[in-house]
Amino acid sequence: MDLISEEKLENMTSMEKIRLILDKVKTGKIVVLESGLTPDEEVRLIEMTMTEIRVDEFSGIEIESYPSKKGGSFLDRIFGKGLKGRMTVIGPANQIHTIEKDEFQIRTKVSVGD
C-alpha cells in the first residue's frame, strides 16, 4: 500500500497524478491519496483505466473518496469546481472491494492475489 502526501500531489499536473496512480495500481498496489482528486481528475483516471484494461493483465480500478467538505459558492458546488475529495483510496478492482462508505469512514475488503 502506498500513502501519497498532499505536498507531493500539489506539485504535479493532473496527468502526472493519473499516470502515477495507474502505474502503481497496475502493479497491484493500493494507493491512498492524502488529498483526493478533483471530479475532473477522477473522470480522466477512469477514462484512462478503461483504455488500459486487459482481461488477463489489468482488471481495472476501484476508487472511493470521502465526500468533499462543504465550501465554495453555490455555483462552485453545483459544477464541482475547485472541490475535491478529502482522501481517496484506489486499488486494483480484483483486490479491493468497498463494503461501506459514509462521510467519516471508508470500509473496504482487500484480498491479496486472485
Side-chain angles (χ1 to χ4, degrees):
M1 179 181 296
D2 287 354
L3 308 172
I4 302 176
S5 71
E6 181 176 15
E7 288 79 16
K8 177 170 179 142
L9 295 175
E10 70 187 6
N11 294 318
M12 299 175 83
T13 67
S14 291
M15 290 310 292
E16 288 172 331
K17 291 178 200 175
I18 291 165
R19 189 77 260 155
L20 172 76
I21 293 164
L22 268 179
D23 289 346
K24 289 180 177 292
V25 172
K26 285 173 74 173
T27 64
K29 292 183 180 173
I30 295 169
V31 178
V32 179
L33 307 177
E34 179 182 12
S35 64
L37 301 172
T38 65
D40 285 342
E41 289 171 336
E42 283 192 19
V43 168
R44 286 186 185 162
L45 175 61
I46 292 166
E47 288 173 346
M48 286 187 68
T49 299
M50 296 305 289
T51 64
E52 296 189 21
I53 288 178
R54 306 269 190 278
V55 176
D56 56 337
E57 298 171 20
F58 179 55
S59 62
I61 63 169
E62 175 82 15
I63 180 170
E64 286 295 344
S65 295
Y66 288 117
S68 58
K69 290 183 178 182
K70 303 290 187 238
S73 72
F74 176 72
L75 289 175
D76 286 346
R77 287 193 304 257
I78 288 175
F79 294 109
K81 185 177 180 183
L83 300 178
K84 60 183 179 178
R86 294 181 283 161
M87 183 171 72
T88 301
V89 179
I90 306 162
N94 63 347
Q95 292 181 19
I96 186 168
H97 306 283
T98 301
I99 297 171
E100 180 183 338
K101 180 182 118 172
D102 62 32
E103 64 182 294
F104 303 109
Q105 172 178 288
I106 298 171
R107 181 176 292 157
T108 63
K109 178 180 176 185
V110 177
S111 59
V112 181
D114 235 13

